[in-house]
């Protein structure tokens, strides 16, 4: 059980740091990254929500810090789940699987950590 706890702690911190770095990169562009050419419907979606993206990235930074410092982790994982799944779906809709790795990492880590904390969610489903 202790080994699983260490693994979960490591993955929680990794997920938090990943979210913080990804969101900060959207503001400061210190890691070269591009989505390249997007299908027209994907570009239309981005154009429609571009005004909200800075708030989403600030929210990701807050979520990342809460995960790193282990504050409200089970709650934060539930809040992050729809975001991570929509991030994955958005990247899959781009039809370029080579660019989905970031979304896949976030979704897999989120699902693993949700499973690790599953006993804390039992009251929600009883």
């Amino acid at each position: 059980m202790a080994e699983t706890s260490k693994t979960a702690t490591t993955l929680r911190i990794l997920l938090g740091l990943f979210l913080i770095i990804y969101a900060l990169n959207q503001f400061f562009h210190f890691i070269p990254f591009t989505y390249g050419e997007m299908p027209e419907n994907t570009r239309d979606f981005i154009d429609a929500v571009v005004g909200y993206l800075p708030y989403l990235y600030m929210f990701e930074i807050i979520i990342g810090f809460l995960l790193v410092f282990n504050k409200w982790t089970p709650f934060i994982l539930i809040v992050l789940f729809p975001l991570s799944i929509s991030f994955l779906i958005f990247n899959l809709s781009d039809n370029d699987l080579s660019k989905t790795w970031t979304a896949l990492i976030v979704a897999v880590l989120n699902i693993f950590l949700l499973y690790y904390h599953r006993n804390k969610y039992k009251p929600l489903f009883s």
Side-chain angles (χ1 to χ4, degrees), residues 1 4-5 8-9 12 66-67 69-78 112-126:
M1 183 67 180
T4 305
S5 177
T9 299
R12 174 183 50 79
L66 289 170
L67 286 172
F69 293 113
N70 199 22
K71 301 294 180 188
W72 305 333
T73 298
F75 172 69
I76 293 302
L77 292 171
I78 288 177
F112 174 83
L113 290 167
L114 280 167
Y115 182 76
Y116 176 77
H117 290 284
R118 68 189 177 280
N119 290 332
K120 295 181 180 173
Y121 304 123
K122 285 184 180 179
L124 293 174
F125 300 106
S126 62

Side-chain angles (χ1 to χ4, degrees), residues 73-103:
T73 298
F75 172 69
I76 293 302
L77 292 171
I78 288 177
V79 169
L80 181 61
F81 184 70
L83 294 172
S84 65
I85 297 303
S86 61
F87 182 42
L88 181 61
I89 291 170
F90 175 79
N91 279 278
L92 287 172
S93 71
D94 200 13
N95 296 327
D96 187 357
L97 296 179
S98 68
K99 296 178 183 167
T100 62
W101 66 271
T102 54

Side-chain angles (χ1 to χ4, degrees), residues 24-110:
L24 286 174
N25 187 52
Q26 300 304 314
F27 291 114
F28 302 114
H29 310 291
F30 51 86
I31 300 171
F33 184 78
T34 179
Y35 285 106
E37 291 297 316
M38 292 186 209
E40 185 177 343
N41 60 347
T42 305
R43 175 79 348 232
D44 291 342
F45 175 77
I46 291 291
D47 290 342
V49 299
V50 72
Y52 300 105
L53 290 178
Y55 301 108
L56 175 65
Y57 299 138
M58 287 187 281
F59 188 60
E60 280 184 27
I61 292 168
I62 292 168
I63 286 175
F65 276 116
L66 289 170
L67 286 172
V68 167
F69 293 113
N70 199 22
K71 301 294 180 188
W72 305 333
T73 298
F75 172 69
I76 293 302
L77 292 171
I78 288 177
V79 169
L80 181 61
F81 184 70
L83 294 172
S84 65
I85 297 303
S86 61
F87 182 42
L88 181 61
I89 291 170
F90 175 79
N91 279 278
L92 287 172
S93 71
D94 200 13
N95 296 327
D96 187 357
L97 296 179
S98 68
K99 296 178 183 167
T100 62
W101 66 271
T102 54
L104 197 57
I105 288 171
V106 171
V108 168
L109 289 175
N110 192 198

